[in-house]
Amino acid sequence: MSLLEIRGATLAFGERVLWSDFNLSVAPGEFVALIGANGSGKSMLLKSIIGSQKLTAGTIEFLGQGPGVNNQQLGYVPQHRTSDLGLPLLVKDLVRFGLDGHRYAFTRVSEAATLVDAALREVDANHLSHKAVGSLSGGEMQRVRVAQAIISGPRLLLADEPLSALDLNHQQRISELIANQRKQLDSAVIFVTHDLNPIIDYVDRVVYLAQGKHSIGTPDEVMRSDVLSELYGTAIDVVRNQGRIVVLGAHDHQHHNDEEWK
């Protein structure tokens, strides 16, 4: 049984169609990479799953119900925003919101403190526990957001560019953490990224969005010159070198940022 079912989904803003007739079924244990040009609707897809963005057409079901109903079973890492750094909270309090911020009954203080401590340790941020959120660097904030998203052991983790602002060491650590937790919990991950290489060893399928179209398949099926050239409507070269995938030409067509369509 799948955790997430998206059927015939279309999202449009006026005459601009971000994606249409989009179908995706995500099973427990799957790691799905979501890639595409800026403005292709990657963040909007995650927000549609959460229920904060209404579809133009089609349906989304998570755990058999519509968007927003089972969000307590979702983990969400939003894109890094400088406005996050103005939050008047301590790091440990922000992370705890991921544990019981969505429910009326709160976890016992001692149990919550243990879980917060463990989540921060997982992302190498335990030393930040008593720091003010506003004092964090961009990379520190990203790690804290990941801790907040994983603390409740979600059935589905939606990660919107969680590796941004992180150095290579922490990119590897966070990627491995998310992949391992997915296996331990038999949960699923939808991971937005501009660069597939840091997570390539964990990815089961790629969803590539571009020019209002999409392609879904294994990395070998999607990350090909002919497939991406068809999506973009122009020549795109996909080069593989020493295990890395490099896409040449796509950057010329990244005219818009997703933020413009939120």
Side-chain angles (χ1 to χ4, degrees):
M1 177 179 288
S2 63
L3 294 175
L4 178 69
E5 288 284 349
I6 303 177
R7 292 287 174 261
T10 296
L11 183 62
F13 294 89
E15 296 183 355
R16 178 172 172 79
V17 179
L18 295 187
W19 24 267
S20 63
D21 195 25
F22 182 87
N23 299 284
L24 179 67
S25 178
V26 180
E30 271 202 289
F31 194 117
V32 178
L34 180 56
I35 306 177
N38 290 335
S40 58
K42 302 183 296 297
S43 294
M44 291 294 95
L45 180 57
L46 300 193
K47 290 179 179 294
S48 297
I49 295 169
I50 294 169
S52 62
Q53 174 63 54
K54 186 177 181 180
L55 294 176
T56 305
T59 62
I60 295 178
E61 289 189 352
F62 171 57
L63 297 177
Q65 296 183 284
V69 177
N70 290 312
N71 278 4
Q72 71 275 12
Q73 298 292 325
L74 280 173
Y76 177 50
V77 183
Q79 279 191 21
H80 172 64
R81 295 285 183 266
T82 55
S83 58
D84 291 343
L85 301 180
L87 294 174
L89 291 170
L90 296 180
V91 165
K92 64 184 181 67
D93 297 323
L94 181 63
V95 173
R96 179 167 174 168
F97 283 155
L99 181 63
D100 51 24
H102 56 273
R103 55 190 180 187
Y104 296 107
F106 292 97
T107 308
R108 287 183 302 174
V109 173
S110 59
E111 181 183 354
T114 299
L115 292 171
V116 167
D117 185 69
L120 284 170
R121 190 180 303 113
E122 290 278 18
V123 299
D124 193 26
N126 190 255
H127 62 290
L128 302 175
S129 179
H130 292 277
K131 291 191 67 173
V133 170
S135 69
L136 302 181
S137 68
E140 288 172 338
M141 187 65 194
Q142 282 299 89
R143 284 145 55 198
V144 168
R145 283 296 194 188
V146 171
Q148 182 188 46
I150 67 172
I151 190 172
S152 63
R155 299 294 308 281
L156 175 63
L157 178 63
L158 306 176
D160 197 349
E161 298 193 42
L163 305 185
S164 66
L166 297 183
D167 58 32
L168 183 59
N169 176 57
H170 283 111
Q171 284 186 13
Q172 294 172 339
R173 180 162 182 160
I174 295 299
S175 299
E176 184 176 10
L177 165 64
I178 290 173
N180 288 343
Q181 188 187 58
R182 164 210 42 156
K183 291 181 179 179
Q184 293 167 6
L185 301 176
D186 198 27
S187 58
V189 175
I190 299 180
F191 194 110
V192 177
T193 181
H194 283 290
D195 183 4
L196 191 62
N197 292 296
I199 60 171
I200 188 65
D201 291 337
Y202 312 119
V203 173
D204 297 303
R205 285 189 294 163
V206 171
V207 175
Y208 204 114
L209 305 176
Q211 306 293 305
K213 297 180 288 186
H214 59 272
S215 181
I216 302 174
T218 67
D220 286 341
E221 290 171 337
V222 174
M223 304 305 293
R224 294 169 29 186
S225 297
D226 59 333
V227 173
L228 298 192
S229 293
E230 183 176 351
L231 283 181
Y232 282 101
T234 191
I236 302 293
D237 290 323
V238 178
V239 179
R240 297 172 187 267
N241 182 31
Q242 296 182 340
R244 289 182 58 83
I245 298 174
V246 180
V247 179
L248 304 175
H251 66 279
D252 296 328
H253 305 275
Q254 296 179 1
H255 299 306
H256 304 284
N257 188 288
D258 274 4
E259 193 68 25
E260 297 178 38
W261 308 103
K262 293 183 180 180

